Amino acid sequence: MHIERPRDLAEALAGFDSHPRATPLAGGTDLMVEVNLSHLRPETVVALRRVSELQTWDDRFVGAGVTYARLQAGPFPALAELARTVGSPQIRAAGTLGGNLGTASPAGDALPFLAALDAEVVVASHGGERTLRWDAFLVGPKRTALRPGELIVGVRLPDHIPARQAFGKVGVRQAMVIATVNCCVVRDEEGATRVAMGAVGPTVLRARAAEQLVSSTSRPSPSMLEEFQRLVSDEVVPITDHRATERYRRHAAGVLARRTLERCLAP
Amino acid sequence: MIVTLQVNGRSHAVEVAGWESLLWVLRERLGLRGAKDACLQGECGACSVVFDGELVCSCLVMAADAEGAEVTTVEGLGDAGGLHPVQQAFVDEGAVQCGYCTPGLAVATAHLLETHPDASLDELREALAGNLCRCTGYGAVLRAAVAAQRGGAEEAAP
C-alpha cells in the first residue's frame, strides 16, 4: 500500500492527479471497517486529515473534513441534531461530512439535511472545480457522480435557510445505531416545506407530493397531517433488509415525517 | 514504512505494514495490550484512545496516517506514583466485571472529565455511549465516573 499525506488542498489534488483511483481517507469510520474486515485493500490512499482547506467552515460553505462533533456544535439546529445521532463520541470526533457524502449510504444521516436544503456538493480535481446539486451527486446506493481524480471539497448551503427545521431518526437504540429511517423537514415562514427521507430508497429522496400538500397552508389541519403521513408512506421506495422490512419502513417513514413536521409547526 | 508517533509521551519510530490499524500497532508492535480488539468496526469502544486530543476508536485509525500523532492509551493514564483517579474510582466502585471494556471506559471517562469537568450525569451517560459493556456494569461505571469527578473537584478546591 502507498499512502500520501498531503499538507494542503493543492498537494491533495496533485495526489489524486497522479493516482486517479486512489482511496480518500478522512475519519476512517467507514473505510477502516472495510479494511479491518478485509473487504478492501486499497492500493493507494490519500490521507486528508492534514488538509486545512477541508476543515474550513465559512458560513454557508461547510468543508468536507468538518467532523460530526463540529456539526453538533454548529448553528443549524437540524444539522446539529442529526450529528448528535451519529455513532458515539468516538465516531463523531472522527467521521466527517465529506465521508458521509463519499460513502453515499442510503442511510447517511447528514444527507436528508442536504437534500431538504437543495445543497450543492463542491468537488475538485487538479483541472478545476465543479458543483453538483445533491441529487446529481448521489446517483445510487453507495454510488456518487465523483470522477476519477476528483475529491469532495465541501458543501454549499443556500443563503436562505429556514429557522424551522428538524431531524428525526428511527433506529433500534439511542446510540450507535444506523438509521432504519431518517428524515429532515424544513419550513419557511410562508409555509413552503421540504421533506427529505433517508434509508427508504436507493438514495435520500424528497417526498414532493407531501411537501406540496402542506406548503399551501399556514396551519395544516389534523386531517391534512393524516394525509401528509399517507403521502410520505406512498412516496418512499424502501426495501426489506436485515434492519427492517419494506412494510415497516414505509409505515415508519410516514409517522416519522409527520412527527418531524409537527416539530417544525410548533409555535 | 516507518511511522513516527508519540505514545504516552514517548516517541516511537515503528515499522508499519500495509493497512494496519493504530490498534494493531499499539498492541502487536509496541506491546501495549491495554486497548482491546473486539469489534474492529467502531461499535464497541474497547480500543478507545486519545489521538491528537480527540477520543477515537484506534481500530478506525489507519496506522500509516498516524505519522506525527500524539496518542494516550490506558497505560498512559496513571504514572509511577499509582493509578489515575479514574482508574482508582473504577477499583473502588467495583466497576469491573470481565474487564474487557474497562481500558476503553477508563480512557473515555478520563478524557471526558479532562475536557468537561462539570459534565452532568446525562452528559456522562451520553459521553460513554460508545463504550459497550456486555457484563451490564454501567451502574457501577457511572458511579465511578461521578466519584472521580467529585474527587477531581475536591482536589481543585482551594
Side-chain angles (χ1 to χ4, degrees), chain A residues 1 58 66-67 73 76 116 123 147 195 197 231-232 243:
Chain A
M1 187 197 78
D58 182 9
V66 172
T67 60
F76 305 119
V123 304
R147 296 176 186 148
V195 180
M197 307 298 303
L231 284 173
V232 171
R243 284 196 194 94

Side-chain angles (χ1 to χ4, degrees), chain A residues 1 3 5 25 27-29 32-33 35-36 41-42 45 47 49-50 84 88-93 173 175-176, chain B residues 1 18-19 21 40-43 48 51-52 54-57 59-62 64-67 126-127 129-131:
Chain A
M1 187 197 78
I3 187 165
R5 296 183 290 248
L25 168 66
T29 56
M32 284 303 286
V33 174
V35 167
N36 288 340
R41 289 285 183 244
V45 169
R49 68 185 180 90
R50 297 164 188 81
R84 191 179 171 197
S88 62
Q90 288 90 325
I91 300 299
R92 298 196 284 273
R173 351 167 229 179
M176 291 305 313
Chain B
M1 84 190 71
W19 303 272
S21 66
L40 295 182
Q41 44 190 308
E43 296 251 355
S48 297
F51 180 84
D52 281 345
E54 304 281 357
L55 182 75
V56 302
C57 295
C59 74
L60 299 182
V61 177
M62 191 176 272
D65 189 29
E67 174 66 34
E126 190 166 344
N131 293 79

Side-chain angles (χ1 to χ4, degrees), chain A residues 116-137:
Chain A
L117 289 179
D118 274 336
E120 295 175 324
V121 183
V122 183
V123 304
S125 68
H126 199 55
E129 202 174 89
R130 62 187 184 119
T131 299
L132 297 97
R133 212 175 75 163
W134 67 275
D135 47 351
F137 180 83

Side-chain angles (χ1 to χ4, degrees), chain B residues 42 64 77 100 133 135 147:
Chain B
L77 285 190
Y100 208 80
C133 167
C135 308

